[in-house]
Amino acid sequence: MQYIGLSLAAPVVINDATNLWYNAPQIQHYVGEHDRTYFTSVSAEGKASIQYLDNRDGTRSQPVLIKSWPRPDDHSSAALLVIPKGPQRGKILLVYSLHTSTLYGKLSKSPESIEDWGEEFVIHQSATYPQLFFTSDNKIICFFRDSTISQGDISFAEINQDMDLASLQTRKLILAPKNKTVYYIAEQHGNIIGIAWDYFDQITKTHQSVFYAQSDTRRILWKDIHGKFVADLSKMTPIYTAKEGQVRVWDVAFTAESKPVLGLVEFDVEGAVGEVDCCDKSTYLSRAKIIANGSVEDLGDIAMRYYSSGLFIDRTHSDLVYLIRRNDELDRYSRSAQLSCLLSLDAKFLARPRTSEDALDQLFLLSMDRYVSYTEYRTKTLILNQNDLGNCH
């Protein structure tokens, strides 16, 4: 236990580690023979690792090396999935790539083990941003940004539990327009996948519009946020466009009634990656927003530095709760209570809060001591329990 400018003590699980919010999930709680929370990260030396926290006695494992990359890059952190049922139940699947490079997979040889792994296999030749899901029809779904032909399309692969790669099917989902690159976040609700994305314009260097679509239960047909089926997702109309400033889609969630909710941040200027130290840069006026039932709702203005990390949507509350990451504090918003501060940090943290899907009282935060670019950073990784967070005012 160690204090790091927090209003409470929190375990520093790794002293030099980060991950990328697009590569998801990176933390998962699983109860089998053990009760553990598994998480992945990548160091500033380019070493991608996996660890676990034992929820019964509070101990944590040493990092186990997944891959040693030839150069540091936070895009190289691994997505993980503890398979919840079927013949591979309890085994851990890791999917990872160097930024826009070969997408690899690796499956643990035995359940709940991070020590012994099967042979590394190839999922795709040129990809980044892997996101993993396990559907109720026992399919493993891997979304990724596909850079085989264009600057970046969105594809997904369906992997059978027997890991028969000969039967692996990959489908193109969103084709990037000319001179644009896709950024996306996906979320699962039963057999339905919801995906929100935007296009980065390489000429104007801006992110302007947010798009959303969700699959049918077979993940073959897709419809818009109003339930209308769409033949070509690449030609969809955006559900939100920033008139003054830029936007990023940061999270997607479903309510208990299967309704999609999106969180985003619109900000006036985006700091250019690699040009300046984020924490010495002046703040930008940012506006936090949610999109629910197809309409946009403002959460209010927030001051952020550099590269805003947006919202986390908590699905466990009937009165939807949103956690807003500011420069040096985490705020909670709900329709009834509005904004209330949860904690303060002396060191700025950049990445959005991470949670375990099966243990939503547990927040996974990255405390950023220094972050110049995705190839130059020194960070501390913390695990905090939401129930223990005090009011920082």
Side-chain angles (χ1 to χ4, degrees):
M1 303 292 282
Q2 180 179 349
Y3 283 97
I4 312 180
L6 290 168
S7 59
L8 70 164
V12 179
V13 292
I14 319 176
N15 282 311
D16 172 19
T18 190
N19 57 35
L20 192 72
W21 50 88
Y22 290 114
N23 300 352
Q26 293 142 350
I27 178 170
Q28 187 171 351
H29 176 236
Y30 183 81
V31 179
E33 180 181 350
H34 307 281
D35 181 348
R36 292 171 174 171
T37 300
Y38 300 87
F39 52 95
T40 59
S41 63
V42 62
S43 75
E45 283 71 42
K47 296 183 185 222
S49 302
I50 183 171
Q51 282 182 263
Y52 64 75
L53 176 71
D54 191 302
N55 297 304
R56 291 171 178 159
D57 60 18
T59 60
R60 59 187 181 273
S61 71
Q62 291 298 313
V64 173
L65 183 67
I66 300 168
K67 191 85 169 180
S68 187
W69 299 108
R71 65 178 187 270
D73 192 325
D74 65 354
H75 291 62
S76 306
S77 56
L80 73 88
L81 173 70
V82 185
I83 299 174
K85 61 180 180 177
Q88 308 283 6
R89 180 178 179 180
K91 290 186 178 181
I92 303 168
L93 175 65
L94 302 174
V95 176
Y96 47 93
S97 71
L98 190 60
H99 197 170
T100 311
S101 184
T102 304
L103 185 64
Y104 297 103
K106 187 181 290 186
L107 184 70
S108 64
K109 288 184 177 180
S110 56
E112 303 176 67
S113 171
I114 64 172
E115 300 292 340
D116 298 316
W117 298 90
E119 291 186 7
E120 186 177 71
F121 56 89
V122 173
I123 296 175
H124 200 70
Q125 293 300 323
S126 183
T128 190
Y129 303 149
Q131 297 182 25
L132 283 170
F133 304 97
F134 188 90
T135 62
S136 55
D137 56 356
N138 295 340
K139 293 286 188 180
I140 298 170
I141 310 296
C142 179
F143 278 79
F144 54 91
R145 192 171 75 182
D146 184 346
S147 303
T148 306
I149 299 175
S150 72
Q151 291 288 336
D153 304 323
I154 301 300
S155 296
F156 71 97
E158 288 199 5
I159 308 171
N160 291 324
Q161 275 209 53
D162 58 9
M163 295 295 160
D164 178 12
L165 299 182
S167 65
L168 188 149
Q169 298 181 359
T170 300
R171 304 177 193 171
K172 286 274 190 180
L173 186 62
I174 301 168
L175 302 181
K178 184 179 179 181
N179 297 321
K180 293 188 178 181
T181 305
V182 184
Y183 291 82
Y184 80 103
I185 288 290
E187 186 54 80
Q188 169 191 358
H189 186 73
N191 288 334
I192 295 172
I193 301 289
I195 182 169
W197 70 95
D198 68 356
Y199 297 109
F200 175 69
D201 191 309
Q202 299 168 25
I203 297 176
T204 63
K205 306 297 183 184
T206 58
H207 303 264
Q208 294 295 137
S209 299
V210 176
F211 301 80
Y212 175 81
Q214 70 182 48
S215 71
D216 63 0
T217 56
R218 295 184 299 164
R219 299 167 299 280
I220 296 175
L221 300 177
W222 295 77
K223 55 188 177 181
D224 64 17
I225 199 167
H226 302 292
K228 181 179 178 181
F229 284 100
V230 179
D232 186 350
L233 300 191
S234 305
K235 297 179 180 179
M236 285 189 69
T237 301
I239 60 173
Y240 180 78
T241 298
K243 296 180 180 178
E244 300 177 3
Q246 299 186 53
V247 299
R248 282 281 193 149
V249 178
W250 292 114
D251 229 325
V252 181
F254 287 92
T255 67
E257 295 77 28
S258 303
K259 300 293 185 182
V261 179
L262 283 72
L264 63 92
V265 172
E266 177 185 326
F267 48 106
D268 293 338
V269 181
E270 179 178 3
V273 173
E275 289 187 359
V276 294
D277 187 323
C278 71
C279 300
D280 293 333
K281 197 173 181 69
S282 59
T283 60
Y284 303 125
L285 175 64
S286 306
R287 292 161 292 277
K289 302 174 184 291
I290 58 171
I291 301 175
N293 297 319
S295 62
V296 180
E297 181 178 332
D298 284 301
L299 275 66
D301 291 344
I302 51 179
M304 286 186 173
R305 288 186 178 97
Y306 190 62
Y307 201 40
S308 60
S309 61
L311 312 174
F312 164 69
I313 304 171
D314 189 339
R315 293 178 281 185
T316 63
H317 295 75
S318 57
D319 182 35
L320 290 167
V321 174
Y322 310 90
L323 299 181
I324 304 175
R325 201 284 300 164
R326 300 183 189 236
N327 283 324
D328 53 3
E329 66 185 37
L330 191 66
D331 283 356
R332 178 178 60 231
Y333 170 89
S334 69
R335 288 186 173 92
S336 60
Q338 297 302 307
L339 285 171
S340 60
C341 184
L342 286 180
L343 68 131
S344 288
L345 290 158
D346 290 339
K348 311 302 184 226
F349 62 99
L350 184 65
R352 66 179 184 174
R354 280 297 190 192
T355 69
S356 169
E357 289 294 316
D358 298 321
L360 285 176
D361 62 331
Q362 198 168 65
L363 293 179
F364 185 75
L365 304 182
L366 300 181
S367 173
M368 295 292 182
D369 294 330
R370 176 175 171 78
Y371 192 102
V372 177
S373 71
Y374 51 66
T375 59
E376 185 178 348
Y377 49 81
R378 286 296 185 275
T379 71
K380 290 181 172 65
T381 300
L382 303 87
I383 289 184
L384 304 177
N385 189 299
Q386 185 176 352
N387 292 334
D388 294 336
L389 296 179
N391 192 310
C392 60
H393 290 309

